[in-house]
Amino acid sequence: MTVSLGGVPVLVDVSFDIVDGLNLVLGPNGSGKTTLLRTIAGIYRPQRGSVEVDGDVGYMPAEFSDAYMTVMDVLLAGGGRPPSRYLAWLAAVGLGGYERRIFSELSTGQKRLVLLAKALAEGRLVLLDEPTANLDPARKAVIMRVLQRLKKLKTFIVASHDLDLVNIADSVVLLRGGRAVQLRPEEVDGEVLSETYGLPIEVVRSGGHKLFLPRYDF
Amino acid sequence: MSGRNLVLFSLASLPPLFVLFLSTGAVFLTPDKLFAGGPYSVIVYGIRLPAAIAAALIGSILAVSGAVMQTLYRNPLLDPYITGTASGAAFGALLAYALAVVGLSPAYMLLYQVPLAFLFATAASIATLAAGRGRVYATVIGGVAVSYIFSAATTIGLSYLSSREPQIPPLAFWLFGYIDYVSYRADALLAVVAAGLIAAAVKEARRMDLVAISDELAHVRGIKPDRYRLFWISAISLSTALIVSQVGVVGFLGLMAPHMARMALKNGSAAAVVPASAALGAPVLLASGALARGLLGFSVPVTAITSIFSAPIIILALVHAGKRIDS
């Protein structure tokens, strides 16, 4: 598909298969990751091509307001769906019993988990924009564990700058200059990442995980 | 407090507040005279009861309007007075008298007064919200500036017109409102608007909450946030236009009632605050109206009373925000 915003092409003939599990979208700032998610979610319409998605889409935005309302109100926002389904997913992300807490008083990581629960309840395909940004390592680990566990139940498309997510991905889409390359996670190596970001990135294996080490020249 | 208890509490407070409102005015009527009939019944049923009904309805409409604006623009300081909506409406409503002066029949004034007020109310709201660009305090300052412009234009226009049409309401009416003379016909119109606005806002509350959380999330659920906001601003401007053409500018109800609701319910979602504000608006404006109409021993415009109670809310919000920035 091709998507232009304000007459400027952002995504050009981007095409990839959504696999079961976790689909990770990587790419530099401005490469169109969020645009891709929004197009899949139906917010933008492609000028050429189409998006084929089975069933409802759940969405977790990168930015959201610090709403002074209960977690239950956040989950039910938009209306028309039964509370029981939301509560089940709230428990599934590890926040069982949080429904009466005030959303704006939660930590950043907990707020993300609430919105993740909402997205999970609302769609079979779940789109996450930067789910691990601005989190300390422990909080990030919580989100990664939740995703690792739930990707057996739902299909995720995750747009992120966080290379660590390659470790839990089942497919990786690299966006560069509006074009996409789809790889299997094991094909993501230093060479292809260095080329994507225009910066040497070394990939080291440690304890079954890949560690990503960008070489900053300063 | 639960939302249901708050609504029940508000409803229970209505009868005594109605009695209080009916007692006050140019002549204070003690309860025994109030229901004695005879010469007093003209004052009570001909003048005061329709005004009291108007106060209750206007209170609810403005309170819900404030709650909706605050949710959709993520700004707890908005209401149709702060955003200049009411001042714009006042200018438009006054313009209708100018048209009457140049020859349009005053008999049809309702027909062109509310549309004119609506036009300027909408223009004023959009100017304020555009100037504020989503920033909490910038929007408030924009609203103050827009209000100044329309209040000045109203003052200038009235100075010119009142020498030609002595029956035009005085400046205090256009700037601060008097809920003293309202017809039963206007009550009927206000009732229709109140019922429509409250029902729509309660039904849409969950969708408003989604817009409050994230424009993107709203989009995914098929709500175009900008169009949605514009729709509600238009509906609120229309309601405000009707109110201002009947009783002048009534300020701060949309600030007071939702804040009381949030504090009582310890929850700021539209799903909780919209119905609670609708319930609280009526008793709050009845009480303010009774105070304004002579509980002090003399009559003052109603916004003079609501300002005294509401301006501290804004000051508290500023102090609170200041603390957060300091620490």
Side-chain angles (χ1 to χ4, degrees), chain B:
Chain B
M1 194 187 284
S2 77
R4 225 187 75 207
N5 286 351
L6 189 76
V7 171
L8 289 176
F9 171 78
S10 301
L11 291 178
S13 71
L14 284 178
L17 287 171
F18 257 95
V19 169
L20 191 67
F21 192 99
L22 295 177
S23 311
T24 54
V27 189
F28 187 82
L29 297 179
T30 50
D32 56 309
K33 287 180 192 155
L34 211 52
F35 303 111
Y40 295 121
S41 64
V42 178
I43 300 179
V44 174
Y45 298 108
I47 300 172
R48 293 189 183 178
L49 183 60
I53 294 170
L57 293 170
I58 290 168
S60 281
I61 295 171
L62 290 176
V64 167
S65 299
V68 169
M69 286 174 136
Q70 289 159 23
T71 303
L72 294 182
Y73 288 91
R74 302 171 191 139
N75 185 342
L77 296 180
L78 298 189
D79 101 316
Y81 186 57
I82 306 263
T83 51
T85 312
S87 305
F91 178 73
L94 183 71
L95 217 54
Y97 284 96
L99 292 179
V101 168
V102 299
L104 268 177
S105 165
Y108 301 111
M109 196 151 108
L110 247 179
L111 283 185
Y112 55 84
Q113 188 175 39
V114 174
L116 266 176
F118 169 57
L119 193 71
F120 284 94
T122 311
S125 321
I126 290 174
T128 295
L129 294 164
R133 279 190 281 129
R135 296 162 299 174
V136 171
Y137 297 113
T139 309
V140 174
I141 294 165
V144 169
V146 168
S147 294
Y148 273 141
I149 293 169
F150 281 108
S151 299
T154 299
T155 309
I156 294 166
L158 189 71
S159 307
Y160 173 76
L161 285 172
S162 56
S163 57
R164 283 162 184 74
E165 284 278 302
Q167 80 273 28
I168 298 178
L171 188 61
F173 173 94
W174 297 110
L175 298 185
F176 297 113
Y178 278 106
I179 311 178
D180 286 345
Y181 305 105
V182 186
S183 66
Y184 280 114
R185 233 178 58 192
D187 278 348
L189 211 52
L190 285 167
V192 170
V193 168
L197 190 77
I198 294 168
V202 168
K203 184 172 166 284
E204 285 290 303
R206 292 277 182 215
R207 283 155 61 85
M208 291 181 193
D209 278 333
L210 194 63
V211 175
I213 295 165
S214 149
D215 277 20
E216 263 175 298
L217 273 180
H219 261 301
V220 173
R221 291 291 292 273
I223 303 166
K224 303 251 180 299
D226 290 333
R227 228 186 281 170
Y228 192 72
R229 289 190 182 95
L230 191 63
F231 166 81
W232 279 102
I233 286 304
S234 309
I236 290 165
S237 297
L238 184 59
S239 311
T240 307
L242 175 66
I243 290 168
V244 170
S245 68
Q246 295 304 313
V247 301
V249 169
V250 178
F252 291 122
L253 250 290
L255 199 64
M256 256 197 285
H259 274 266
M260 288 165 71
R262 256 178 232 119
M263 276 195 289
L265 302 174
K266 296 193 170 46
N267 183 6
S269 69
V273 168
V274 164
S277 298
L280 276 172
V284 169
L285 192 55
L286 273 171
S288 308
L291 268 173
R293 288 156 52 85
L295 273 189
L296 302 168
F298 49 93
S299 166
V300 297
V302 67
T303 299
I305 300 296
T306 53
S307 305
I308 299 251
F309 291 114
S310 323
I313 294 179
I314 300 179
I315 294 170
L316 270 177
L318 283 169
V319 172
H320 208 72
K323 256 193 233 146
R324 235 180 302 148
I325 292 162
D326 291 343
S327 59

Side-chain angles (χ1 to χ4, degrees), chain A residues 54-123:
Chain A
D54 269 358
D56 287 338
V57 171
Y59 193 93
M60 189 185 105
E63 282 171 22
F64 44 85
S65 73
D66 243 347
Y68 176 61
M69 57 176 82
T70 65
V71 166
M72 198 66 220
D73 285 317
V74 170
L75 295 173
L76 291 177
R81 290 180 190 170
S84 54
R85 182 148 42 131
Y86 288 106
L87 288 175
W89 285 110
L90 192 64
V93 301
L95 290 184
Y98 271 62
E99 59 272 15
R100 284 164 168 245
R101 297 277 290 271
I102 294 293
F103 183 73
S104 54
E105 291 166 2
L106 301 179
S107 70
T108 308
Q110 288 172 332
K111 286 176 198 161
R112 289 241 177 83
L113 287 172
V114 170
L115 291 176
L116 175 61
K118 184 171 173 61
L120 286 162
E122 291 176 357

